[in-house]
Amino acid sequence: MADGRGLATDRAALLALYDFDAGGFRMLDDITAFASALCNAPIALVSIVEDVRQRFLARTGLDAEETPRDVSFCAHAMLGGDIFVVPDATKHPGFADNQLVTGPPHIRFYAGAPLVASDGEPLGALCVIDSVPRADLTPLQRQGLTVLARQVMAELEARRRDRDIMLRQQLDAAAVADSERMFRTLADTMPQMVWSTLPDGFHDYYNARWYEYTGVPVGSTDGEGWNGMFHPDDQQRAWGRWRHSLKTGEPYEIEYRLRHHSGDYRWTLGRALPIRDAHGAISRWIGTCTDIHEQKLMMEEREMIAHELSHRIKNIFSVIAGLIGLSARQHPQIRDVADDLRDRILALGRAHDFVRPHSAESAPQVGQGHGRLWGILDQIFAPYRNDEGSRILLTGDDPMIDDRSATPLALLFHELATNAAKYGALSVPSGRVHLHIAQAAQAVRIDWREEGGPPVAPSGQEGFGSRLISLSVERQLGGRIMRDWQPDGLRLSLSIPSRSMSRVGERA
């Protein structure tokens, strides 16, 4: 539309008919909040695409008021006849390098319903955005987004000043009434319980699903009556969270037990977002309640099974270590080998218990680095402390780890510390080891530097411990290892992909 001055002027003239600069889009704010709740998306926008920018008449979950047109997803969505969906923008050839994908708000999923004027001219889109990829909207969400887009256009068309005043008033009244009916009809067809409140938190609306689920008379939970529907043990916590949101304007989110019409209390996820006017003041809250009882029970059952399995695996480590010790006593000639093997088994057991504790007593306490590299190193290096503290000095970053990386990391640092205690810096009282960790976006670099130990030279033949170190780093973690034998001790550098350290890093 911007390939000539005439076309640009025509579009500017068209948009001027709607008088967007006059503001007053409270209804559109309600629509974006409802679209966000309906599609379970953190961001919802009403976007108008101009010549060089797209401006957001209403927005939920985003601070920006406009962005350049050349990065606009809505400029594409408005040209279609149906909802335009991008499941994963990082894999879309047209959007992978878009600054809104590579930078904030880190768009991954996008769905936009076109906003088309009555004369067929595209204006923009009503869109929902998520920072994680999704396959698509559900049929109900598609229908709802289409209905809400029509409601947006009904609101915008009412603003056109070049229409006959009387006709415009009639159309506006009909559109408002129709929009209200559509809004309530859509809310009543949603599987979630939908509610809204005044700015002070007074509940004045619940959809049909709320009354169907709770079985209470219509209007009986208006005002503050809703809190009596919660389990007594959850009421104070829910009130505190709700008052905090009302005071600060922060989104409301909490899990609590809600009384079902059967009389049972079922776990429910409650969420609400504030609707703000043009001056930033909260004009309304819109919220949803979602039954998560079955998912909650399933998670608790899975957690119980996981703890039981972890307990049994921990017992297996102990049994194996005990068998090795028994064999060593019966065959003294293998004692040295057996002791090394038992120590490795015990190191694996400590790593397992660190990331998969089998009980609350065995779990690392808050402040002990649970889920972090320093936490497991603290356990592996515990035997190398003296009255002055640890002889292995840690500096640098503390990257996240998980059950996938804990085992090879435990073996790696157990072997390094054991070798240093037998032959290197830790074999003499004055020796020290400096371990520095540097975390980058793609990889974690670990530098092991020994000093103060006896002169050590490479044997020229790789032993079992060295092969185990290489296996842990290169095979299991997909990293690289470099050794440098200096007169004052071994220097070893490791480079490990971030995705191998933790699944969180892999998703990032």
Side-chain angles (χ1 to χ4, degrees), residues 6-19 51 160 162:
L7 292 178
T9 302
D10 290 343
R11 181 159 185 81
L14 169 67
L15 297 180
L17 299 177
Y18 293 89
D19 194 25
D51 295 325
R160 295 187 64 157
D162 61 338

Side-chain angles (χ1 to χ4, degrees), residues 303 307 310 350-379 398-403 406 501-502 504:
E303 188 69 18
H307 279 306
S310 181
R350 287 195 296 272
H352 173 80
D353 221 26
F354 181 77
V355 295
R356 291 286 188 184
H358 64 273
S359 66
E361 291 74 19
S362 67
Q365 301 301 310
V366 175
Q368 292 184 343
H370 182 54
R372 297 281 181 174
L373 180 57
W374 282 36
I376 196 170
L377 292 180
D378 185 64
Q379 298 195 26
D398 188 13
M400 296 184 67
I401 63 172
D402 58 20
D403 55 332
M501 300 288 287
S502 170
V504 173

